Amino acid sequence: MIDSLVTFVISMSGGSAALGIVLFTLAVRLLLLPLNVRQARTAKVREKLAPKLRELQKRYGRNPERLSKELSALYAKEGSSPFAGFMPMLAQLPFMWLMYRVATHPTALVGHDLFGAPLGQQVAGVVANYGLASMPVLVFVLVIALVAAVAWFSARQIKVSEEQPALMKKIMPLLPYGSVLAALVLPLAGGLYLLVSTAWAVSERAVLASRPL
């Protein structure tokens, strides 16, 4: 199945695997947009209701059944539910896994490159084969640098609640930089996928955050 999908992705871009990965990633992200809009709306509702949620938790914290009913009623007034954000998140996982598999498929990427850098090789292999001062390594460095820049923007978008534990407040702004570590160990095709996917996600969050509920 993955072999056929990778072949289709490459063929739809005129034989360019790099362009195919970019187009496929954008197409899947566009397909997931309605789910992400719903998830963003749920996050805004939760932020809006935060003071009332804290009040209910203090009042009914020792009565879970009553607390659950009160929370459901509160969310219902806003046309949402306490679990509305989870379904879009879960629905995205198969698509994200599929994108990852396409971008890191080992055999289908043989012979394909991005400005001379093999899409199926990791940065260590590129350095070993072409030398540190080479065009393929420069392409890899540029992709990783762009992933790092997008991670920085993503970290700035993270809102840390005062109610969260101190450790989580320190860890959450660092989570986006996991994509940089991934780009260092994945093949170049995986790094290209991460760049396109995370750049879309950052842009999408910025646009959705500026929209009213």
Side-chain angles (χ1 to χ4, degrees):
M1 175 183 174
I2 296 297
D3 287 335
S4 301
L5 182 58
V6 173
T7 302
F8 170 74
V9 168
I10 294 174
S11 63
M12 76 176 186
S13 59
S16 171
L19 179 59
I21 289 171
V22 171
L23 293 177
F24 180 72
T25 304
L26 292 176
V28 174
R29 277 291 184 177
L30 189 61
L31 183 65
L32 293 174
L33 184 58
L35 295 176
N36 292 331
V37 170
R38 184 178 177 185
Q39 190 172 356
R41 183 182 184 281
T42 302
K44 287 185 177 182
V45 169
R46 188 179 295 114
E47 184 178 351
K48 176 183 177 181
L49 297 178
K52 294 181 180 179
L53 293 175
R54 287 193 293 267
E55 183 180 340
L56 289 176
Q57 287 168 351
K58 288 180 181 178
R59 183 179 301 178
Y60 304 111
R62 296 182 180 181
N63 188 344
E65 184 177 350
R66 178 65 184 276
L67 177 61
S68 178
K69 291 181 179 179
E70 294 292 337
L71 289 176
S72 298
L74 184 61
Y75 274 97
K77 290 180 181 179
E78 297 292 334
S80 183
S81 77
F83 309 104
F86 292 103
M87 290 306 295
M89 189 182 304
L90 293 176
Q92 292 180 45
L93 294 180
F95 294 97
M96 304 300 287
W97 174 84
L98 194 60
M99 281 196 296
Y100 169 78
R101 287 296 304 275
V102 169
T104 58
H105 197 279
T107 56
L109 295 174
V110 173
H112 293 276
D113 63 80
L114 177 64
F115 301 117
L119 287 169
Q121 287 192 17
Q122 300 170 318
V123 64
V126 173
V127 171
N129 292 329
Y130 295 92
L132 192 59
S134 63
M135 185 62 182
V137 173
L138 180 60
V139 171
F140 231 120
V141 169
L142 179 59
V143 170
I144 294 173
L146 290 174
V147 171
V150 174
W152 181 79
F153 281 108
S154 181
R156 289 175 60 88
Q157 290 178 329
I158 293 177
K159 295 180 180 180
V160 181
S161 172
E162 292 296 328
E163 299 176 348
Q164 290 177 325
L167 181 60
M168 286 301 297
K169 291 180 182 179
K170 294 180 180 179
I171 291 178
M172 286 185 66
L174 300 177
L175 293 179
Y177 293 99
S179 60
V180 182
L181 298 178
L184 287 169
V185 299
L186 288 175
L188 179 58
L192 185 60
Y193 149 70
L194 282 173
L195 174 59
V196 176
S197 185
T198 53
W200 176 288
V202 168
S203 302
E204 183 181 84
R205 281 196 297 269
V207 172
L208 294 178
S210 64
R211 292 181 56 188
L213 287 173

